Amino acid sequence: MLRLRRHVYLDNNATTPPSSAVCKRMESVLKECYGNPSSLYRSARDAAAILEESRISIASAIGAQPEEIVFTGCASEANNQILKSFLSNPPLKRNTVISSPIEHPSVMNALLHMQSFGFNIVFCPVDRNGRIIMKELLRLVDNTTLLVCCMFANNEIGTIQDIREIASIAHSNGALVMSDCVQALGKVPVDVKELDIDYATFSAHKIHGPKGIGALYVREGSPIAALIHGGHQEGGLRAGTEGIHNIAGFATAAETMVTMLAKMPDILRLKKNFSDDLLKIFPQIESNSPSDNCLPNTISIRFPGFDNAEFIGYLDYHGICVSAGSACNTQENKPSHVLKAIGLSDDAARETLRFSLGANTSERDISYSIRVIHDYLTAKSLPVTMFRPAQVDENLLFNEKTYVLDIRYRYDRKLLKGLPNSHEVQLFFLKRYLSQIPKNKFILIACQAGTDGPLAAYYLRSRGFRNVGFVAGGIVGWKLLRPDLYEKLGGAGTIQLKPEE
Ligand code: PLP
């Protein structure tokens, strides 16, 4: 069995490492330009100058005018701001928003919010590749359509949409067009004027910039309202003292984006080698990503018969960072809405992993990953034991050799009771509590919905715990399949581990 040798980061759609140019710029701005850009003296004016220069850089990276850029706390906020703008000033007669069923949750949930205010939200179907079916869009858009909202590139499967065509259909019916360009930026050229869109959103941390800063493009003259009310910052559209270091970091990332774009052909070649090699070691794999018009760095792959939660834990054990195709929320183990929209069953979605390569991915990273994946797929036994929820019974729970470890987050514990006699510590603090966990017992790990358990189990294995297992599906699964035990024993005798001195 291989042991941890390399750190391989294949999750660049989740976030990218900040570049050294970005870190350097941010540090200097943070130290030397701490003035509040709204103040009147010289050092504050220096900060205001950085703010405006950064706006110019970002505008020019996307083909916009500086006045059309509003800085926000993140792209989720930017998406919310556009959509919720329509709540404060609904245009007469038009109250339908047409979107795709594969949008990011910051769009999806804001759309649901609009729906609760009486807006008619319609999802245009996508094909097996996640591409908007234009015939359907043509049928749906009419003179009641307020907005067509469609992401440029999908974060899970990499599908690139024909935004120009979508915009043309929308505009010819007098509707506005919004596109979440978060994943496209830095991977394919983005020019908002060429795309002919009215709104677009961006996030710095996907292009080697800092987290906690996003931007909103609003075409001059398009309606927009503040989401956060307060001071006059950002022309009254986003109150709050500007994080100049973050904004400057974003601008540096945008200025160096040409380098990122220039690396994409190499990244695409690596991705192709990776998928060819995967096919050689496991011909049953199925790609959920389109073969053309796809982000060069992204590939979503189904491994029939292999649960993605455990797979991710195993890869993490070997230093490889990837994501599931499925996003589990805290209460239910929900398969990815994107994979469902392109026709995958719940089970198939739970067998899917997303690999997103980046500027730092090397050939050795790929060959190492292939070796680890091959070992996993062919292993006769694994370093940790998986328990189906139905197997988690009184014999296991009350065995004197069993030590139950509940790694759920505080807010999850409020939603569901835990296994009896659990020792509670939140996953992200686990490393601080290791000395309190007995090495001579069998450690049974329970998380909320099945994603974190395998990660924690593999982590403990890597820290010298020899007998470790986890409850597949977590407490959600246990409650579902053993409602009798959940009612009778749930939450009994739990112990909170104490922080170490
Ligand atoms: N839109 C897409 C397509 C994304 O992938 C993400 C981030 O994962 C976001 C929006 C949200 O970006 P942020 O993290 O800046 O809120």
Side-chain angles (χ1 to χ4, degrees):
M1 188 71 59
L2 284 164
R3 293 306 311 273
L4 178 67
R5 278 189 216 139
R6 293 178 72 79
H7 174 73
V8 178
Y9 187 69
L10 298 179
D11 204 17
N12 286 275
N13 285 8
T15 195
T16 51
S19 70
S20 43
V22 164
C23 295
K24 207 164 139 209
R25 174 78 174 137
M26 286 180 72
E27 190 184 354
S28 99
V29 171
L30 199 54
K31 281 187 182 154
E32 286 151 33
C33 267
Y34 53 84
N36 184 327
S38 301
S39 301
L40 300 176
Y41 36 83
R42 198 177 311 167
S43 66
R45 287 202 297 276
D46 288 346
I50 293 177
L51 173 64
E52 293 317 314
E53 278 159 13
S54 302
R55 202 184 302 283
I56 294 169
S57 294
I58 285 153
S60 93
I62 59 162
Q65 294 302 314
E67 312 74 62
E68 296 172 313
I69 301 294
V70 180
F71 287 112
T72 59
C74 56
S76 297
E77 182 188 316
N79 283 333
N80 271 267
Q81 180 161 359
I82 299 169
L83 294 170
K84 291 178 183 169
S85 278
F86 297 107
L87 300 181
S88 48
N89 196 8
L92 291 173
K93 294 211 185 94
R94 292 184 179 246
N95 89 332
T96 297
V97 178
I98 296 173
S99 191
S100 89
I102 61 169
E103 298 294 308
H104 186 264
S106 57
V107 168
M108 281 297 189
N109 289 326
L111 288 174
L112 291 182
H113 185 75
M114 291 181 81
Q115 198 169 36
S116 70
F117 280 80
F119 282 85
N120 179 30
I121 309 295
V122 179
F123 292 104
C124 177
V126 290
D127 64 17
R128 180 66 183 80
N129 287 321
R131 210 153 279 132
I132 286 281
I133 301 175
M134 292 297 175
K135 210 168 61 192
E136 292 292 325
L137 188 67
L138 273 166
R139 192 179 59 76
L140 290 169
V141 182
D142 61 20
N143 63 4
T144 65
T145 310
L146 167 63
L147 177 75
V148 175
C149 165
C150 181
M151 69 199 326
F152 192 166
N154 182 267
N155 45 314
E156 288 191 33
I157 55 176
T159 308
I160 295 174
Q161 304 285 357
D162 187 347
I163 297 294
R164 264 191 73 88
E165 176 66 14
I166 292 169
S168 143
I169 295 172
H171 286 150
S172 60
N173 284 276
L176 292 159
V177 179
M178 155 184 180
S179 185
D180 172 337
C181 296
V182 168
Q183 291 293 345
L185 193 67
K187 297 174 190 135
V188 290
V190 176
D191 183 316
V192 290
K193 297 288 180 248
E194 230 172 71
L195 293 171
D196 193 21
I197 51 186
D198 305 292
Y199 306 96
T201 54
F202 303 93
S203 181
H205 72 101
K206 310 286 182 177
I207 56 162
H208 302 282
K211 290 163 191 60
I213 181 76
L216 168 56
Y217 157 77
V218 186
R219 195 209 296 252
E220 216 197 327
S222 305
I224 188 77
L227 182 66
I228 297 181
H229 298 92
H232 59 275
Q233 292 91 348
E234 297 299 284
L237 286 175
R238 209 288 184 174
T241 306
E242 303 87 340
I244 295 296
H245 60 297
N246 258 350
I247 289 171
F250 190 0
T252 305
E255 284 154 17
T256 46
M257 214 173 60
V258 208
T259 331
M260 187 175 168
L261 275 171
K263 285 191 177 153
M264 286 302 147
D266 286 340
I267 293 178
L268 177 62
R269 190 178 42 78
L270 282 179
K271 178 176 90 164
K272 175 125 190 20
N273 293 349
F274 179 60
S275 68
D276 288 350
D277 289 350
L278 277 179
L279 209 54
K280 276 185 212 140
I281 61 167
F282 194 64
Q284 300 92 310
I285 60 162
E286 285 163 19
S287 170
N288 302 313
S289 297
S291 51
D292 60 350
N293 289 326
C294 180
L295 289 177
N297 75 320
T298 309
I299 185 154
S300 162
I301 294 192
R302 177 181 171 216
F303 295 84
F306 292 89
D307 178 75
N308 57 18
E310 155 131 56
F311 205 162
I312 290 176
Y314 183 88
L315 294 178
D316 183 38
Y317 182 56
H318 291 284
I320 303 171
C321 310
V322 303
S323 278
S326 74
C328 297
N329 83 16
T330 50
Q331 279 191 70
E332 314 150 81
N333 189 349
K334 268 197 188 158
S336 146
H337 69 284
V338 175
L339 298 177
K340 297 268 296 180
I342 61 166
L344 269 71
S345 67
D346 287 12
D347 284 347
R350 289 202 180 90
E351 293 169 341
T352 291
L353 292 183
R354 174 191 73 184
F355 301 89
S356 48
L357 285 58
N360 301 330
T361 310
S362 67
E363 308 239 358
R364 285 187 63 201
D365 290 341
I366 296 300
S367 55
Y368 173 73
S369 304
I370 291 288
R371 267 169 48 223
V372 175
I373 292 171
H374 175 263
D375 271 21
Y376 179 74
L377 299 174
T378 54
K380 295 225 164 29
S381 67
L382 291 167
V384 303
T385 316
M386 180 182 85
F387 285 87
R388 305 209 170 277
Q391 294 173 291
V392 182
D393 57 12
E394 280 152 306
N395 285 340
L396 177 66
L397 291 167
F398 295 105
N399 185 318
E400 60 173 31
K401 295 227 170 76
T402 305
Y403 180 92
V404 182
L405 189 63
D406 181 330
I407 54 149
R408 291 179 301 152
Y409 307 105
R410 197 178 301 138
Y411 45 83
D412 282 340
R413 294 204 179 112
K414 293 208 176 102
L415 301 172
L416 289 176
K417 296 182 280 189
L419 298 178
N421 298 335
S422 293
H423 300 80
E424 296 181 341
V425 54
Q426 301 184 80
L427 173 63
F428 41 74
F429 287 144
L430 187 54
K431 119 172 169 195
R432 298 191 200 159
Y433 290 78
L434 292 181
S435 65
Q436 296 180 53
I437 303 171
K439 286 215 159 115
N440 59 350
K441 291 210 172 189
F442 172 71
I443 316 295
L444 178 66
I445 297 173
C447 64
Q448 186 81 342
T451 29
D452 294 335
L455 281 170
Y458 277 105
Y459 174 67
L460 289 188
R461 270 299 266 140
S462 73
R463 301 306 301 265
F465 292 81
R466 302 195 65 76
N467 293 311
V468 190
F470 63 91
V471 184
I475 301 292
V476 171
W478 189 60
K479 180 178 179 223
L480 203 69
L481 291 158
R482 293 307 308 254
D484 52 330
L485 289 184
Y486 180 82
E487 280 314 318
K488 190 168 123 195
L489 302 169
T494 49
I495 301 157
Q496 242 184 351
L497 291 187
K498 298 254 173 320
E500 276 158 30
E501 295 294 303

